[in-house]
Amino acid sequence: MEILDKITKSDYKYGFTTDIESDKAPNGINEDIIRLISSKKNEPEWMLQWRLEAFAIWQEMKEPEWANVTYKKPDFNAISYYSAPKSKKVLDSLDEVDPELLKTFAKLGISLDEQKRLSGVAIDIVVDSVSVKTTFKAKLAELGIIFCSMTEAIHEHPELVQKYLGRVVPRTDNFYAALNSAVFTDGSFCFIPKGVRCPMELSTYFRINESGTGQFERTLVIADEDSYVSYLEGCTAPMRDENQLHAAVVELFAMDGAEIKYSTVQNWYPGDVNGLGGVFNFVTKRGICERNAKISWTQVETGSAVTWKYPSCILKGENSVGEFYSVAVTNNYQQADTGTKMIHLGKNTKSTIISKGICAGKSNGSYRGLVKIGPRADNARNFSQCDSLLMGDGCGSHTFPYIEIANKSAQVEHEAATSKIGEDQLFYCNQRGIPTEEAIALIVNGYCKDVLSQLPMEFAVEAQKLLAVSLEGSVG
Amino acid sequence: MLHIKNLHASIEDNKILKGINLEVRPGEVHAIMGPNGSGKSTLSSVIAGREEYEVTEGSIEFLNEDLLSLSPEERAHAGIFLSFQYPVEIPGVSLTNFIKTSMNETRKAKGLEPYPAKDLLKKMRDCLELLEMDKGFLSRSLNEGFSGGEKKRNEIFQMALLEPKLAILDETDSGLDIDALRIVASGVNKLRSPKKSFVLITHYQRLLNYIEPDYVHVLFNGKIVRSGGKELAHELESKGYDWIKQELAEV
């Protein structure tokens, strides 16, 4: 009888900090700080001006309050907007990376060498605000693929950055996008030339290490005509009593016939069992599809105290396809308001939304999604499925679907189901020799199968483990 | 093998079992019959360790161990299998994955390495054949969209794979058509051995035409009121449960 009652503590495995000297800007935000960030990064004048304009826009904006989350708004003057691991020179090989940092990655289970050798994943790592190392760059360069840190792209490929930065997520888009545009410190940049199929998964690893800092990374992925790329990002942060702010912007451009697969495994520190601490994850992600292009977002969201995130697709070109596959887990006092927007502008555009929410403890999970069919989008089709799985009776799950249709030929389907992990299911598993914790992992992974199967193989396994860890102790 | 002594059990303060005594020795097949509400399914749930039921008095020993002190999964590891009357659905978990997890958890509890995938697959194929099941079953989600007959066959399929020492079949015959009943029964018969024991819980005598029991017990109002050989089942079938009720009333 008591099975579903007891909520106990689940441990955050990534909660260590690393003792690395870092170069940190004083707290607060103003024009001088933005100038400081820009000069630290030795940026060209156009970039500084772009930031300053964003800052001016941001000052006129109000923090959004429509999401189904409650939290104490961050004090934007108590945050340091720049923190870099202190090692001045440019790193050419892994041997030159700070050994403490390498140890951090080893704890995270991503030894760079191993990554390089075994998985064939090109990886860019952003600690606090600065990109530390991009592996495999030379190999990719042979194909004309550019995969580097945003800072490097600003210096090496200014024409591309200027052409695309802020074009899908304009600085005026929302409060956090404007803030990010003003103070972003690094991130990843990726360009796949015409007709090239990127032969390996590209991956970025984000980590907030320093206390009192925010992380504001900016990612730009451009897939030129008929190219293909699969991109994965992962995130962790140490355990801290304070709330850390993470406000990222990701922009994707899929040109005619191109395909971008963008996967996220987000495991920022979720706060402790009483809801103290944890990362505020306020992220804007959007992609634009030209003719016959496809963008597929897959996310496994297990971390963060508060999540506010809607990876979206603008289906501009004819026959373009948008997909959104999401698993969002909340436990203890976590809150997530997440979903997607599918904006159908072109003819014969198609979108699919599969969202799986899992709520345990005292947490709150919401799906919020918009399907918009424009007047010229003849024969547009959408299928949405939004399911929630509840564990125990202290949590809440909500669905906010918005559907706007301006074309009579549209076909839009929406399915939703809410279920509970039943004691019957657990007892059945127990009777077959499967202990309760393993049974929950099995049931949850089954429930998420449609989403997990979208992840690249090696990450699907990681994500399964992560789900099990996130829900550990959620059922007594 | 299984010793049940003066077992009393209740759920939410309703007394269901009121002093059950039962002994099952290795290789024996016992049938427990009784009208609806007599406590048959409660008995199987209590043996398997369902938490909703509170044991208020008495004991259950299995292989000389106190069964009541073990968790449901520990009982499974010890060799107890319950074929459910209403098997649950677990969407998205393939039968193969479920069985692999089940068998390997059982092996882990015994300190053994996981079953080699190749051997496991072969074993599964053999058992499929035993129950005249299609290979396609293995990749389907556990019980999801299965017909009543398929669910029951799947229970016996798992029983064949897990090789329990004691199998309790709770109303396995309910919801089965004649063909499915014949297949399930022949599966059980092939698994009978001098070391394995079965407890068949059933409302009707029908199943016992196919699986011949060594003993038949009649459960009524939480107690075993009569025990005998297989002829008792025939007597029940012809006279109905009212016969027992009347006799008890006279006493």
Side-chain angles (χ1 to χ4, degrees):
Chain A
M1 295 258 244
E2 309 283 304
I3 289 187
L4 291 172
D5 289 352
K6 216 168 67 190
I7 307 297
T8 52
K9 190 178 147 193
S10 74
D11 291 329
Y12 185 70
K13 267 175 43 185
Y14 307 95
F16 55 88
T17 57
T18 308
D19 204 7
I20 307 171
E21 257 196 288
S22 69
D23 186 6
K24 187 172 160 184
N27 290 355
I29 181 163
N30 51 53
E31 285 203 2
D32 289 342
I33 288 286
I34 290 163
R35 284 176 198 282
L36 175 78
I37 292 169
S38 194
S39 77
K40 284 267 183 202
K41 306 184 85 60
N42 215 1
E43 283 177 354
E45 182 61 22
W46 60 264
M47 194 67 246
L48 175 63
Q49 288 311 319
W50 199 82
R51 289 174 181 278
L52 290 172
E53 285 163 27
F55 180 63
I57 292 165
W58 179 72
Q59 281 182 304
E60 299 296 313
M61 293 177 111
K62 281 209 167 67
E63 206 171 340
E65 287 176 346
W66 44 263
N68 186 27
V69 291
T70 47
Y71 59 95
K72 191 173 168 288
K73 286 181 184 169
D75 175 355
F76 293 97
N77 277 315
I79 295 171
S80 165
Y81 290 84
Y82 182 79
S83 164
K86 215 177 210 170
S87 63
K88 294 278 177 198
K89 58 181 180 175
V90 179
L91 304 166
D92 287 325
S93 82
L94 288 175
D95 303 338
E96 294 174 45
V97 175
D98 187 328
E100 282 292 323
L101 199 55
L102 287 179
K103 265 191 236 164
T104 303
F105 297 139
K107 275 187 224 167
L108 293 167
I110 46 156
S111 127
L112 289 173
D113 302 305
E114 288 300 307
Q115 285 282 354
K116 269 173 98 169
R117 267 201 307 272
L118 298 175
S119 53
V121 174
I123 190 163
D124 183 24
I125 294 170
V126 178
V127 171
D128 291 341
S129 304
V130 170
S131 176
V132 181
K133 187 71 207 165
T134 307
T135 58
F136 263 123
K137 200 156 66 180
K139 203 171 165 191
L140 293 168
E142 285 170 25
L143 292 163
I145 294 171
I146 304 167
F147 180 44
C148 62
S149 71
M150 200 65 196
T151 305
E152 207 178 325
I154 291 166
H155 289 113
E156 308 286 327
H157 310 282
E159 71 297 342
L160 287 173
V161 175
Q162 276 179 291
K163 186 171 172 191
Y164 292 105
L165 189 69
R167 291 303 152 103
V168 201
V169 181
R171 289 169 290 181
T172 49
D173 191 78
N174 69 70
F175 184 83
Y176 289 105
L179 177 64
N180 173 287
S181 302
V183 301
F184 79 84
T185 32
D186 219 327
S188 289
F189 177 88
C190 171
F191 177 84
I192 316 291
K194 252 182 213 179
V196 170
R197 218 186 139 80
C198 184
M200 59 187 80
E201 310 281 343
L202 299 185
S203 174
T204 300
Y205 203 87
F206 296 106
R207 179 163 174 85
I208 303 176
N209 195 46
E210 193 64 28
S211 76
T213 59
Q215 177 144 320
F216 305 92
E217 82 268 0
R218 187 103 194 175
T219 299
L220 195 50
V221 179
I222 304 149
D224 209 342
E225 290 171 22
D226 299 314
S227 67
Y228 167 85
V229 62
S230 170
Y231 188 95
L232 185 123
E233 58 176 8
C235 335
T236 62
M239 293 156 82
R240 300 206 184 274
D241 293 345
E242 77 216 22
N243 292 110
Q244 285 176 296
L245 178 62
H246 170 250
V249 173
V250 175
E251 296 178 275
L252 309 186
F253 296 82
M255 304 306 173
D256 290 1
E259 180 178 350
I260 302 175
K261 211 172 141 63
Y262 196 100
S263 315
T264 304
V265 176
Q266 184 265 109
N267 187 29
W268 295 118
Y269 178 52
D272 70 5
V273 282
N274 299 313
L276 184 68
V279 170
F280 290 164
N281 189 35
F282 303 144
V283 172
T284 308
K285 293 181 166 178
R286 196 174 302 150
I288 188 162
C289 287
E290 302 292 344
R291 279 172 67 109
N292 302 321
K294 178 176 173 183
I295 288 179
S296 181
W297 297 100
T298 304
Q299 58 173 20
V300 175
E301 302 274 319
T302 59
S304 299
V306 180
T307 296
W308 179 98
K309 181 182 170 189
Y310 316 91
S312 303
C313 297
I314 298 172
L315 303 173
K316 179 176 163 233
E318 282 176 28
N319 307 318
S320 59
V321 177
E323 293 174 341
F324 175 73
Y325 300 96
S326 168
V327 172
V329 180
T330 52
N331 196 0
N332 299 319
Y333 285 86
Q334 282 176 276
Q335 306 176 70
D337 190 308
T338 184
T340 183
K341 288 190 267 187
M342 291 292 174
I343 318 282
H344 293 253
L345 301 178
K347 288 178 185 157
N348 304 317
T349 45
K350 270 204 319 205
S351 63
T352 305
I353 299 171
I354 308 280
S355 163
K356 301 274 184 176
I358 301 166
C359 306
K362 303 263 181 233
S363 71
N364 219 335
S366 301
Y367 167 80
R368 186 184 303 276
L370 168 68
V371 175
K372 186 172 182 169
I373 314 280
R376 297 208 189 95
D378 294 341
N379 302 316
R381 298 180 67 172
N382 162 266
F383 173 76
S384 304
Q385 186 186 341
C386 307
D387 296 339
S388 4
L389 185 69
L390 303 177
M391 299 171 72
D393 41 25
C395 54
S397 164
H398 316 268
T399 304
F400 304 97
Y402 304 80
I403 299 173
E404 295 172 19
I405 298 174
N407 186 310
K408 280 184 184 167
S409 62
Q411 279 185 45
V412 175
E413 290 173 69
H414 184 97
E415 283 179 13
T418 301
S419 53
K420 267 183 114 167
I421 287 198
E423 294 183 9
D424 283 350
Q425 284 177 322
L426 292 176
F427 180 64
Y428 187 88
C429 293
N430 289 160
Q431 208 298 307
R432 298 297 140 89
I434 304 170
T436 301
E437 293 276 327
E438 281 73 13
I440 289 169
L442 190 74
I443 294 166
V444 165
N445 280 320
Y447 166 76
C448 302
K449 195 175 83 175
D450 294 343
V451 175
L452 297 180
S453 63
Q454 296 294 327
L455 287 173
M457 189 61 181
E458 58 272 43
F459 296 110
V461 176
E462 280 308 303
Q464 282 191 10
K465 285 186 200 149
L466 189 58
L467 283 181
V469 170
S470 306
L471 290 168
E472 236 165 53
S474 61
V475 172
Chain B
M1 178 180 265
L2 180 74
H3 298 273
I4 301 179
K5 274 187 210 146
N6 190 32
L7 183 69
H8 288 68
S10 53
I11 182 164
E12 287 167 3
D13 295 330
N14 290 324
K15 290 179 185 165
I16 314 276
L17 302 183
K18 301 165 184 168
I20 302 263
N21 291 294
L22 180 69
E23 176 156 11
V24 180
R25 286 176 290 262
E28 291 179 350
V29 175
H30 290 244
I32 296 181
M33 302 182 70
N36 290 332
S38 58
K40 300 191 300 288
S41 285
T42 299
L43 178 61
S44 63
S45 294
V46 169
I47 297 172
R50 197 160 183 135
E51 286 188 26
E52 286 93 319
Y53 295 93
E54 195 193 346
V55 173
T56 51
E57 215 183 315
S59 66
I60 307 179
E61 274 185 18
F62 180 64
L63 301 169
N64 303 320
E65 219 182 326
D66 173 18
L67 196 66
L68 295 175
S69 67
L70 301 180
S71 68
E73 61 270 25
E74 286 167 338
R75 298 181 196 200
H77 299 156
I80 287 182
F81 181 92
L82 171 63
S83 167
F84 284 74
Q85 184 177 2
Y86 304 109
V88 298
E89 300 182 2
I90 305 185
V93 177
S94 70
L95 187 51
T96 306
N97 190 14
F98 183 78
I99 286 168
K100 198 179 79 189
T101 310
S102 162
M103 294 187 72
N104 285 339
E105 285 296 336
T106 302
R107 288 177 68 88
K108 195 164 96 188
K110 291 176 180 160
L112 298 170
E113 291 292 305
Y115 223 94
K118 215 177 100 191
D119 299 358
L120 186 60
L121 221 59
K122 182 174 182 316
K123 212 172 157 171
M124 283 192 209
R125 284 206 202 97
D126 294 346
C127 292
L128 278 178
E129 219 167 283
L130 182 76
L131 289 153
E132 301 179 29
M133 285 161 76
D134 187 82
K135 252 202 325 225
F137 262 98
L138 294 178
S139 48
R140 286 171 68 183
S141 288
L142 184 74
N143 290 324
E144 200 185 25
F146 282 28
S147 70
E150 285 173 332
K151 284 183 184 174
K152 295 295 173 74
R153 253 194 267 186
N154 180 22
E155 293 292 284
I156 304 304
F157 171 63
Q158 292 179 49
M159 181 183 90
L161 281 163
L162 287 165
E163 301 179 350
K165 297 188 176 84
L166 172 72
I168 303 158
L169 276 54
D170 189 2
E171 308 251 356
T172 296
D173 51 336
S174 68
L176 286 189
D177 61 33
I178 285 293
D179 289 334
L181 183 66
R182 181 187 51 75
I183 292 166
V184 164
S186 91
V188 171
N189 284 329
K190 282 180 196 154
L191 296 169
R192 280 177 81 159
S193 85
K195 282 185 185 165
K196 282 184 193 158
S197 311
F198 291 86
V199 173
L200 312 175
I201 290 175
T202 179
H203 189 81
Y204 302 104
Q205 188 262 340
R206 192 172 72 144
L207 177 71
L208 307 181
N209 290 337
Y210 296 89
I211 308 171
E212 204 168 279
D214 300 305
Y215 299 95
V216 174
H217 310 275
V218 180
L219 189 63
F220 183 69
N221 201 12
K223 277 185 177 172
I224 289 177
V225 293
R226 189 174 281 236
S227 297
K230 59 177 184 257
E231 64 288 347
L232 179 57
H234 293 291
E235 211 172 341
L236 271 177
E237 186 76 1
S238 56
K239 295 185 183 171
Y241 286 112
D242 284 342
W243 160 62
I244 298 270
K245 287 180 198 169
Q246 269 171 15
E247 273 202 358
L248 286 171
E250 282 162 23
V251 175

